[in-house]
Amino acid sequence: MVCFRLSPVPGSGLVLLCLVLGAVSSYALELNVTDSEKATCLYAKWQMNFTIRYETTSKTYKTVTISNFSTATYNGSICGDGQNNPKIAVQFGSGFSWTVNFTKEASSTYSIDGISFSYNISDNTTFPDAKDKGILTVHDAVGFRIPLNNIFRCNSLSTLEKNGVVQSYWDVHVQAFVQNGTVSTKEFLCEKDKTITTVVPITPTTAPPPTTTPTPKEKPEVGSYSVNNSNGTCLLATMGLQLNFTHDKVVSVININPNTTDFTGSCQPQTALLRLNCSNIKYLDFVFAVKNENRFYLKEVNVSMYLVNGSVFSIANNNLSYWDAPLGSSYMCNKEQTVSVSGAFQINTFDLRVQPFNVMEGKYSTAEECSADSDLNFLIPVAVGVALGFLIIVVFISYMIGRRKSRTGYQSV
């Protein structure tokens, strides 16, 4: 446990801030702020990254993802008192800072009041050829209310988008105004986590049929996607994607056009993210994870789409288990597969191949094929064997008939 001693806070004495390291991966942040009596007053554990789109001097646009927090410091994080509200303050990289402010709303609730993110676009290493210079800041007034003595939990991916900056958060656990120095075991869930945990399976005999039948779509075009970090290409994906969703009893089918689809993402030692977006899809996230230190799989899918009636369709599920393969290899499935995210949203994939970890020289490693492809590969030699066997039998029968006719020609008269 590494502790940081901060300057005295009026009314609370010396504050001790501790960051737990070791078991937590470098990209996962966890802090515990204590008051003068060493009692916990603010606790937080979360993961995050930032994707920034900026204009270059040549009037083109580039995108950079910030996800390395190994050098993070926490100066300015405070418990709060009668004059100051609780605050989480994180500094990292070259001129990056991130702050979260909390406010006690009443005797029974507190709120995540606002989130600010600042970055130094003058840093030529992070933002090569940037047109703008200086420190830029985006602020989002969140205003999310939480009952006192509750820890806020949101395992699902949440995003904030403003001025070309996408802030992504997941595996969030935070409690301000901790009472009696003990972090609460009572959780207050975000809406996405509620959606995942309260989905009731639909019984075909009682479910109302959709009001319309979707027009069958042709096979989607296959797109190639990749994610880069400081070491080069870290994620590869090739696939045709077809989205099937039900909204207000209406079933719709959308083929994703890779020619009009943008993609970003990030790579971490234990997780990797591929994000797709286009004119009608705010984001479609594929989150991969490592399990048992030797395999990877698709753990989470999050989607938010703009519908023709102006509403937004959003679904998230962080408890999936698809596309399982050994680390150091890729996963491949040429046949059509269905990823069932929820009862209202499924993804059909075609000619799929993904490798979210250990990409070498920007190329796929040896593929582990899905069972559908394996069955096909097994049937091909079986069919060839059967055909050869049938051909041998035909040849043998023809030979015997020919031999018999030959003997008949030499009989005595």
Side-chain angles (χ1 to χ4, degrees):
M1 180 178 290
V2 179
C3 299
F4 301 88
R5 292 186 179 275
L6 307 180
S7 57
V9 178
S12 63
L14 187 67
V15 176
L16 186 66
L17 175 66
C18 299
L19 173 67
V20 179
L21 300 175
V24 180
S25 303
S26 60
Y27 60 88
L29 303 173
E30 182 172 4
L31 63 86
N32 187 63
V33 183
T34 60
D35 58 20
S36 59
E37 298 178 356
K38 297 184 178 181
T40 298
C41 58
L42 173 61
Y43 173 80
K45 181 175 70 173
W46 75 102
Q47 296 187 48
M48 64 182 179
N49 64 39
F50 306 91
T51 300
I52 304 168
R53 186 172 185 261
Y54 67 96
E55 186 177 3
T56 66
T57 52
S58 59
K59 296 184 179 181
T60 59
Y61 286 87
K62 291 185 178 180
T63 300
V64 63
T65 298
I66 309 301
S67 57
N68 184 359
F69 308 105
S70 59
T71 61
T73 57
Y74 305 86
N75 299 315
S77 299
I78 58 174
C79 291
D81 53 27
Q83 298 177 344
N84 301 283
N85 289 321
K87 179 172 67 173
I88 296 174
V90 184
Q91 305 83 38
F92 53 92
S94 178
F96 295 96
S97 64
W98 180 77
T99 59
V100 182
N101 293 289
F102 301 89
T103 302
K104 184 179 287 187
E105 295 288 330
S107 59
S108 60
T109 61
Y110 67 95
S111 69
I112 302 175
D113 192 42
I115 297 177
S116 296
F117 171 62
S118 299
Y119 57 98
N120 182 12
I121 203 168
S122 300
D123 178 10
N124 291 326
T125 302
T126 307
F127 304 99
D129 305 321
K131 176 184 175 182
D132 298 323
K133 300 297 179 183
I135 303 293
L136 301 181
T137 300
V138 291
H139 177 78
D140 287 274
V142 181
F144 191 86
R145 289 183 175 84
I146 305 164
L148 281 173
N149 201 31
N150 277 231
I151 184 169
F152 172 70
R153 190 200 82 183
C154 195
N155 292 330
S156 301
L157 181 68
S158 300
T159 59
L160 298 173
E161 300 181 34
K162 191 174 184 179
N163 298 338
V165 177
V166 179
Q167 305 180 52
S168 300
Y169 306 100
W170 65 99
D171 292 339
V172 176
H173 297 73
V174 61
Q175 183 180 357
F177 303 100
V178 176
Q179 299 179 11
N180 302 320
T182 303
V183 176
S184 178
T185 57
K186 187 175 181 180
E187 295 181 332
F188 184 79
L189 305 183
C190 65
E191 289 300 321
K192 286 187 177 181
D193 280 13
K194 290 179 182 178
T195 302
I196 295 171
T197 55
T198 58
V199 170
V200 179
I202 299 175
T203 306
T205 55
T206 59
T211 56
T212 60
T213 301
T215 303
K217 286 274 186 177
E218 62 182 9
K219 184 177 176 180
E221 184 177 348
V222 176
S224 296
Y225 312 98
S226 62
V227 176
N228 298 326
N229 60 13
S230 57
N231 297 320
T233 302
C234 57
L235 182 152
L236 290 170
T238 305
M239 51 191 170
L241 295 172
Q242 188 177 82
L243 310 184
N244 297 264
F245 62 96
T246 304
H247 182 72
D248 291 338
K249 301 180 183 179
V250 177
V251 180
S252 302
V253 179
I254 295 177
N255 284 349
I256 289 186
N257 183 357
N259 300 315
T260 58
T261 300
D262 296 324
F263 52 92
T264 58
S266 62
C267 300
Q268 306 293 347
Q270 299 292 316
T271 61
L273 165 68
L274 172 65
R275 163 168 288 188
L276 309 181
N277 67 279
C278 57
S279 59
N280 61 329
I281 299 177
K282 187 177 181 182
Y283 58 81
L284 173 59
D285 293 338
F286 297 91
V287 181
F288 300 88
V290 174
K291 68 176 180 180
N292 302 327
E293 303 299 327
N294 60 3
R295 299 186 71 86
F296 72 83
Y297 69 106
L298 178 66
K299 179 180 185 293
E300 182 175 346
V301 168
N302 307 288
V303 66
S304 182
M305 297 186 292
Y306 302 106
L307 304 183
V308 292
N309 61 4
S311 62
V312 177
F313 175 87
S314 298
I315 289 289
N317 191 336
N318 66 349
N319 194 30
L320 302 176
S321 185
Y322 292 96
W323 307 349
D324 187 298
L327 282 176
S329 68
S330 58
Y331 176 86
M332 182 170 69
C333 196
N334 292 318
K335 300 205 67 167
E336 180 180 354
Q337 274 192 314
T338 299
V339 175
S340 182
V341 181
S342 74
F345 182 68
Q346 296 84 37
I347 303 174
N348 293 338
T349 64
F350 302 80
D351 299 317
L352 168 72
R353 190 168 186 180
V354 293
Q355 185 171 346
F357 300 98
N358 300 346
V359 176
M360 303 298 292
E361 299 180 352
K363 299 179 181 178
Y364 284 111
S365 301
T366 303
E368 175 161 309
E369 298 182 66
C370 64
S371 57
D373 285 0
S374 299
D375 292 342
L376 180 62
N377 292 337
F378 173 75
L379 289 175
I380 290 174
V382 170
V384 172
V386 170
L388 288 175
F390 180 74
L391 181 61
I392 291 171
I393 292 173
V394 171
V395 171
F396 178 75
I397 293 174
S398 300
Y399 169 75
M400 293 301 295
I401 293 173
R403 185 177 179 185
R404 186 173 182 181
K405 287 183 178 180
S406 177
R407 284 184 178 179
T408 303
Y410 287 97
Q411 288 181 352
S412 301
V413 179

